[in-house]
Amino acid sequence: SEMCIRDRLIVSIGIEFLAFLFKCMSAMYNKTKAECGDSMRTSKSKFCFLFIKNLFLNKELYYHLVILALGILGVTLHPFFFAFHLINVVLRNEKLKDVLQAFLGPLAEIILTFLFFFILVYVFAVMGYTFYADMYPEYTCYSLFSCFIITLDQCFKRNGGYGAFLDDVYAIDDKPESATFNVGRVIFDQASNFILLILIAQILAGLIIDKFGELRENAENMEEDIKSNCIVCGEKSDVIERKTGETFEQHKEERHNIWQYLLYIGYLRAKPKEEYNILQETIYKLFKKRSIAWLPYSLWKGKDKVIDSEDINKKLDEIKGTLEKQVSKQCNDK
């Protein structure tokens, strides 16, 4: 039964990786083809170079390679490596992806903050080794390096900072009036507690919280933009309703239905390129270049001025005349 489980795991991991690899290579091929354009002047070596470059710049490819390697290690060495596959749950959930992005977004700032933290720990370790080495437990601060390691280790383990790891700041003999206090140790402990624990922790929390708030604000703005603006022409719903007299839902369903544009692209992809007319060829080239210039623009020049229908027809006639001249010129050249 154990061999059967391993066989199923190998098949599952292999099929998933091959499916992703096929999808990734197909997407990178289309991206490279769009970058090179439909020109036949692009050499095969340049195309292959751009394809390999786009393929290896795909971060998702490295993630699946790591998952594949962990799956193989889990099958061959120890099931412990299968635990890392739970990360896939995070990547399949949009909410959890936002949480992960809130940490990875300011990654450079977080790394620099940790570097600043290590510098501060080193400064306090030097101070402790210089002035309070005798207050460390025995054999814990016999060198500057050992002081640095013990300071770094005990910094977050002790309540109140690593000062709680040292001897007390006061010494009491038999008589209470003979008690002595080390004022320098009090300042040293409070400074390390505030700077290493409170300040650095708040800086890291602020970076992550700010990034998470930014992601949430962007998501809310995008959702509001989709609800209140036409995806095709970009006009706001109130402007459309005021200028056309139709509701925003009617505009999206009848005039600028996004699914009709998608179906048109599917029609162009299925149609042989030899049968394209000039308009279809132009639209398909723009689509391959990831350009949205072929989509209809707003019918309004400004917020309150409407373009007259005669002006629109005049513009269309001018475009038609220009295209006919170009076609006739090409025929005469031939």
Side-chain angles (χ1 to χ4, degrees), residues 19-213:
F20 163 77
L21 187 61
F22 176 77
K23 183 182 77 171
C24 179
M25 293 182 68
S26 177
M28 293 303 104
Y29 176 82
N30 292 331
K31 181 180 179 181
T32 306
K33 192 174 180 181
E35 289 179 357
C36 294
D38 294 334
S39 175
M40 299 301 294
R41 282 179 272 181
T42 304
S43 62
K44 291 184 178 180
S45 58
K46 181 181 178 181
F47 184 87
C48 292
F49 173 77
L50 290 175
F51 174 74
I52 295 173
K53 175 186 173 183
N54 291 328
L55 186 65
F56 282 95
L57 287 178
N58 189 357
K59 297 179 181 178
E60 197 175 353
L61 174 65
Y62 295 102
Y63 164 75
H64 280 82
L65 287 174
V66 171
I67 290 297
L68 177 65
L70 291 172
I72 295 173
L73 292 174
V75 170
T76 56
L77 295 181
H78 196 277
F80 158 77
F81 293 99
F82 289 129
F84 294 98
H85 288 183
L86 292 174
I87 300 175
N88 200 33
V89 177
V90 178
L91 299 179
R92 291 179 182 270
N93 187 287
E94 292 298 327
K95 299 292 184 181
L96 293 177
K97 283 175 70 174
D98 288 343
V99 174
L100 183 62
Q101 187 62 32
F103 175 78
L104 295 178
L107 187 60
E109 291 85 352
I110 291 175
I111 293 174
L112 291 175
T113 303
F114 271 111
L115 179 61
F116 180 55
F117 168 74
F118 289 135
I119 293 173
L120 292 175
V121 169
Y122 177 76
V123 171
F124 279 100
V126 171
M127 295 172 62
Y129 178 71
T130 304
F131 301 106
Y132 308 111
D134 55 335
M135 293 186 175
Y136 281 78
E138 192 176 4
Y139 305 117
T140 58
C141 190
Y142 55 88
S143 66
L144 181 58
F145 178 75
S146 63
C147 255
F148 173 77
I149 295 299
I150 201 67
T151 302
L152 182 64
D153 178 62
Q154 296 296 324
C155 185
F156 288 100
K157 288 183 178 179
R158 301 279 177 169
N159 292 328
Y162 82 98
F165 179 69
L166 308 182
D167 294 340
D168 293 334
V169 299
Y170 54 86
I172 301 177
D173 294 334
D174 295 336
K175 297 179 180 181
E177 58 271 13
S178 64
T180 58
F181 295 88
N182 192 328
V183 180
R185 261 293 307 283
V186 174
I187 298 174
F188 178 77
D189 289 356
Q190 296 304 317
S192 64
N193 180 31
F194 175 76
I195 295 175
L196 297 181
L197 291 182
I198 300 176
L199 187 62
I200 297 298
Q202 291 300 319
I203 291 174
L204 291 173
L207 289 172
I208 296 174
I209 292 173
D210 288 347
K211 185 62 179 180
F212 189 76

Side-chain angles (χ1 to χ4, degrees), residues 129-311:
Y129 178 71
T130 304
F131 301 106
Y132 308 111
D134 55 335
M135 293 186 175
Y136 281 78
E138 192 176 4
Y139 305 117
T140 58
C141 190
Y142 55 88
S143 66
L144 181 58
F145 178 75
S146 63
C147 255
F148 173 77
I149 295 299
I150 201 67
T151 302
L152 182 64
D153 178 62
Q154 296 296 324
C155 185
F156 288 100
K157 288 183 178 179
R158 301 279 177 169
N159 292 328
Y162 82 98
F165 179 69
L166 308 182
D167 294 340
D168 293 334
V169 299
Y170 54 86
I172 301 177
D173 294 334
D174 295 336
K175 297 179 180 181
E177 58 271 13
S178 64
T180 58
F181 295 88
N182 192 328
V183 180
R185 261 293 307 283
V186 174
I187 298 174
F188 178 77
D189 289 356
Q190 296 304 317
S192 64
N193 180 31
F194 175 76
I195 295 175
L196 297 181
L197 291 182
I198 300 176
L199 187 62
I200 297 298
Q202 291 300 319
I203 291 174
L204 291 173
L207 289 172
I208 296 174
I209 292 173
D210 288 347
K211 185 62 179 180
F212 189 76
E214 180 185 344
L215 292 172
R216 184 173 60 182
E217 184 179 356
N218 292 339
E220 291 176 353
N221 292 337
M222 183 179 296
E223 185 177 357
E224 180 64 24
D225 185 69
I226 292 174
K227 289 182 179 179
S228 60
N229 294 339
C230 176
I231 298 177
V232 177
C233 66
E235 278 294 349
K236 294 184 178 180
S237 58
D238 57 341
V239 177
I240 291 173
E241 292 175 355
R242 187 171 69 249
K243 298 300 182 182
T244 63
E246 61 185 11
T247 64
F248 184 55
E249 294 299 326
Q250 287 177 335
H251 177 84
K252 291 194 298 182
E253 290 293 330
E254 299 174 6
R255 188 182 297 273
H256 287 163
N257 191 324
I258 189 63
W259 294 109
Q260 293 178 355
Y261 291 93
L262 292 176
L263 288 173
Y264 183 70
I265 292 299
Y267 163 75
L268 291 181
R269 296 182 68 175
K271 184 177 181 179
K273 294 183 180 180
E274 296 78 12
E275 300 179 8
Y276 283 174
N277 56 36
I278 296 178
L279 179 62
Q280 292 173 342
E281 183 179 358
T282 303
I283 291 176
Y284 188 73
K285 286 182 178 180
L286 290 173
F287 170 74
K288 295 297 288 184
K289 293 178 180 178
R290 299 177 178 268
S291 172
I292 60 173
W294 60 277
L295 291 173
Y297 291 105
S298 171
L299 296 177
W300 302 282
K301 290 182 178 179
K303 293 184 178 179
D304 298 317
K305 185 176 180 181
V306 182
I307 298 178
D308 190 80
S309 59
E310 295 182 359
D311 294 337

